[in-house]
Amino acid sequence: MSEHAAGEARSAAAFAALLDRAGLLDLDAGDRAFLRAAFDRTASPLPIPEGFDELQRPMTASAGLQDGSPS
Amino acid sequence: MIEDMLRSVAACARQIRAGGISSVELTAAALDRIGSSDARLNAFLSVDAESALAAARACDADIGRGEWRGPLHGVPYALKDIIDVAGQRTSCHSRIRMDHIARADAEVVSRLRQAGAILIGKTALHEFATGGPSFDLPWPPARNPWDPNIHPGGSSSGSAVAVAAGMVPLALGTDTAGSVRHPATVCGIVGIKPTYDAISLAGTFPLSYSLDCMGLLTHGVLDSAVTLAPLLTAEAARRIRRTSDPMAPFPGLEDGLGGLRIGVIEAFQPESEIDPEIGAATAEAIRALQHAGARVRPLRLSPLAVYTECGKTILQSEAYSIHAAWLRARHAEYGRRGRRRLAAGLTIPVERYIRAQQVRAHLIREYAAAMQSFDVAVCASSLAFACRIDDEATVDRTYDRQARTPFNVLGTPAISIPIGVGKAGLPMALQIAGRPYDEPTLLRAARGLEQALGLSLTPPCAASR
């Protein structure tokens, strides 16, 4: 099996496991394709702004939304 | 003329207070208008004429005793059917919630009731405020009064249509990624989302806990201002500058644009993305701001895609967490578009969600720093015109061609103001955003633009009545 095919197989297995955990194994083909496309999109990294600090504390609640000073 | 009054909260308020018109007359006119045009536009999921007229009679009796409760007293309004009204169904435009009867009023409904506003009915939306116009739900999607074949925007579609078509002067919606400003833009009216949490969401079905915001749909900026003031939470009322005049509730509203420092967010309207006609109208509106005395300069922020992807990641993750159990147990009861969008969040790993919240914190700091040199920021609202409502692929594509989501990510106030009608007869809008809790400056700028342009947009269906 080529590296690409192996990667595809791993990805398909991970996607199936995800649907299994969510209890959504009985989806129709259209729903499955839609979610698979969404799943594949998460493989590309989230766009990051210039100067982003990897250890930036996340915004986990509304606090700080209003005054631009998140904890 | 009573139909003109149905296009202005402020005009209704002045006339009701002065005894020039009764709330019963206004409410009856609203009901007539709904009766004559809503079969084509599908703005309303339910209308409760009897309760509305009873409430209007009570308001008139108050006025007769000299008791005027403020600008909303006796004014008819509509409510997105995702917001609870005691004893009424909150359907969220979904089969899933067909049998859900609210036990209590949402906080915002209580406030509207106390202010004397008259609830006419509950309006259509995208299922659970996501997905897009759907034809496989218990009710049809709302239609655009500028052209019923065109998507009216969403998800607060029915609320915008009800206002744009002159059925009611005021409607409430919710705005998680632009769901008030989008339909306002494409229906040619004003849509505002205030600072995050400035209006309570208690009793409103959530889509995304940390992005959801209540919003208002009206014809004019003054209408937005007089409606917003009585709906503010105690905390927001403490932080937002106000006056004691309920008809001019925020200081500086009529001060014009002179001296205002306005930043143009070019990153949110890239030339490669924006429709040329909308781009030209946006540039023209910005020139109008300048000619009216504003000091206009570019405002540099991160690219639109950074904001949009951050918002989308947070929205989808939080929405899935709300719907996971129903998606598992009642999958087939959702409409196709709604269930796909809601289930998409399951594909987002937790580290991506956390990363999005980290990015969000960075963007909030970036915006706060940039806005130290500006009073408000402006950019286009939609980067593309609304398309046919039944063209699913194009609806999906145009949904992402917008610059509204950044202000949900930031939690700052933002307003969509009509700036004209394109060659194909569809409205265009400019978006103005402010600093957190600085609604007075936002509204001053919006009012200034409205006056500088002097537009009064009336959709064909409202003009031909």
Side-chain angles (χ1 to χ4, degrees), chain B residues 151-155 175 178-187 381-382 399 404:
Chain B
H151 180 28
S155 65
D175 190 315
S179 284
V180 160
R181 289 161 290 149
H182 180 205
T185 295
V186 301
C187 289
S381 176
S382 287
Y399 244 112
R404 293 175 284 267

Side-chain angles (χ1 to χ4, degrees), chain B residues 148-292:
Chain B
N149 293 313
I150 295 294
H151 180 28
S155 65
S156 307
S157 322
S159 289
V161 172
V163 172
M167 299 177 197
V168 284
L170 165 69
L172 269 69
T174 52
D175 190 315
T176 303
S179 284
V180 160
R181 289 161 290 149
H182 180 205
T185 295
V186 301
C187 289
I189 58 173
V190 173
I192 182 171
K193 74 162 277 298
T195 304
Y196 179 82
D197 244 2
I199 301 177
S200 171
L201 286 165
T204 302
F205 195 90
L207 174 60
S208 168
Y209 301 117
S210 71
L211 294 169
D212 289 345
C213 195
M214 194 68 73
L216 312 175
L217 293 140
T218 60
H219 280 278
V221 176
L222 182 57
D223 301 326
S224 301
V226 300
T227 304
L228 177 61
L231 301 184
L232 295 173
T233 62
E235 172 64 8
R238 190 181 65 74
R239 296 184 68 163
I240 297 173
R241 291 173 293 127
R242 289 180 303 147
T243 71
S244 56
D245 178 359
M247 292 303 292
F250 299 106
L253 191 61
E254 304 290 351
D255 284 359
L257 294 161
L260 269 188
R261 299 167 305 163
I262 298 183
V264 180
I265 313 175
E266 279 154 6
F268 288 1
Q269 43 192 38
E271 264 185 45
S272 57
E273 291 282 322
I274 194 165
D275 178 281
E277 203 180 348
I278 295 175
T282 301
E284 187 60 36
I286 291 169
R287 276 194 292 277
L289 292 168
Q290 215 158 6
H291 290 153

Side-chain angles (χ1 to χ4, degrees), chain A:
Chain A
M1 191 184 277
S2 71
E3 199 175 313
H4 176 74
E8 272 296 306
R10 274 197 303 276
S11 180
F15 179 61
L18 197 64
L19 292 186
D20 188 20
R21 270 205 306 280
L24 293 174
L25 280 173
D26 296 332
L27 297 179
D28 67 33
D31 283 14
R32 206 180 171 87
F34 185 90
L35 293 183
R36 180 59 202 259
F39 175 77
D40 290 344
R41 273 197 300 276
T42 66
S44 55
L46 200 66
I48 297 299
E50 217 176 286
F52 177 70
D53 173 3
E54 296 280 326
L55 295 178
Q56 164 78 56
R57 295 185 76 83
M59 183 68 65
T60 52
S62 65
L65 271 174
Q66 295 90 344
D67 58 10
S69 57
S71 59

